[in-house]
Amino acid sequence: EDQVTQSPEALRLQEGESSSLNCSYTVSGLRGLFWYRQDPGKGPEFLFTLYSAGEEKEKERLKATLTKKESFLHITAPKPEDSATYLCASPNTGFQKLVFGTGTRLLVSP
Amino acid sequence: EADIYQTPRYLVIGTGKKITLECSQTMGHDKMYWYQQDPGMELHLIHYSYGVNSTEKGDLSSESTVSRIRTEHFPLTLESARPSHTSQYLCASSGDRGYNSPLHFGNGTRLTVT
């Protein structure tokens, strides 16, 4: 069964304390791995798409990487405004829909 | 700023009422989607459309229906609301570059059925 699993469920960091979020997937024949950011009361906002193992993409303090079985979202020197839920998703094997993980709730304290 | 708009943002209604959640996008996207999201849970696809007059059911059993008469408009209707329909409903759209095209989400409608 196609699955996307994120860990940890929640992460609390001090401002400036770097860390990584994990997204593992069991979709056959990966056709892209998406990262989204969701703020409370809002819809998810697109961050990155990764297509092949070894690919990396960066945006401000965020860097997403992809291997054959998982993706990492690295957060370098986070700020309180980085606090949000981060979701990852991948198209399912039949390429009909996106399968989402349950997200990692990140809280960055000043 | 989101180019996909959902109304209302919040709705509290009684059991048995008929409701329509509105979704409009200004990006000219052919593909549109409705997702349901409960706290701490993954997004579940309930309906999608590949274009005008195209509608498909997603993987979540739903008592809702959708229509796509115009490219920009994709309303979702519940004929008889129940407390089990209490949830957040998110509308999204994507461009024509296959399924690798990122989804653009609206800010959702939070529905409470009493």
Side-chain angles (χ1 to χ4, degrees), chain A residues 6-109:
Chain A
Q6 293 187 248
S7 62
E9 286 186 16
L11 181 61
R12 188 166 194 150
L13 300 174
Q14 290 293 119
E15 184 171 2
E17 180 187 0
S18 301
S19 188
S20 296
L21 314 182
N22 177 263
C23 172
S24 63
Y25 56 90
T26 58
V27 176
S28 303
L30 183 71
R31 295 174 179 83
L33 191 292
F34 297 79
W35 282 99
Y36 289 84
R37 168 187 171 134
Q38 186 173 23
D39 292 300
K42 293 194 172 183
E45 177 187 350
F46 170 72
L47 292 173
F48 305 110
T49 307
L50 302 166
Y51 292 105
S52 57
E55 188 175 358
E56 299 183 352
K57 289 194 176 172
E58 289 188 63
K59 181 179 181 179
E60 296 181 358
R61 295 173 292 282
L62 300 177
K63 183 168 79 171
T65 62
L66 183 66
T67 71
K68 288 186 178 179
K69 292 186 178 180
E70 56 192 349
S71 177
F72 294 93
L73 185 65
H74 307 278
I75 303 175
T76 302
K79 297 183 177 182
E81 53 261 43
D82 295 321
S83 298
T85 295
Y86 291 87
L87 302 169
C88 71
S90 177
N92 70 330
T93 300
F95 214 52
Q96 297 139 342
K97 62 177 183 178
L98 278 184
V99 179
F100 280 86
T102 54
T104 293
R105 294 189 312 279
L106 174 66
L107 177 63
V108 182
S109 303

Side-chain angles (χ1 to χ4, degrees), chain B:
Chain B
E1 286 297 320
D3 295 321
I4 182 162
Y5 306 97
Q6 293 186 242
T7 56
R9 286 297 312 277
Y10 304 93
L11 181 60
V12 180
I13 60 166
T15 297
K17 299 291 186 183
K18 177 180 178 178
I19 58 167
T20 296
L21 308 184
E22 300 288 347
C23 175
S24 294
Q25 51 100 0
T26 60
M27 296 170 283
H29 286 166
D30 282 332
K31 294 182 178 179
M32 294 190 74
Y33 313 84
W34 276 102
Y35 283 88
Q36 188 172 337
Q37 185 182 32
D38 293 309
M41 304 293 288
E42 61 265 47
L43 279 73
H44 288 291
L45 181 66
I46 48 178
H47 292 284
Y48 59 100
S49 167
Y50 288 143
V52 171
N53 295 325
S54 154
T55 60
E56 303 286 345
K57 286 185 180 289
D59 58 0
L60 185 66
S61 175
S62 173
E63 293 151 342
S64 58
T65 58
V66 291
S67 63
R68 191 86 184 276
I69 299 172
R70 303 196 316 266
T71 297
E72 63 270 23
H73 194 215
F74 191 42
L76 180 143
T77 298
L78 281 169
E79 291 292 332
S80 180
R82 303 184 190 189
S84 59
H85 293 139
T86 295
S87 187
Q88 163 128 305
Y89 292 84
L90 291 164
C91 182
S93 70
S94 65
D96 293 331
R97 290 178 288 145
Y99 222 111
N100 287 341
S101 182
L103 300 183
H104 299 263
F105 284 88
N107 284 328
T109 293
R110 183 163 295 283
L111 173 66
T112 302
V113 183
T114 60

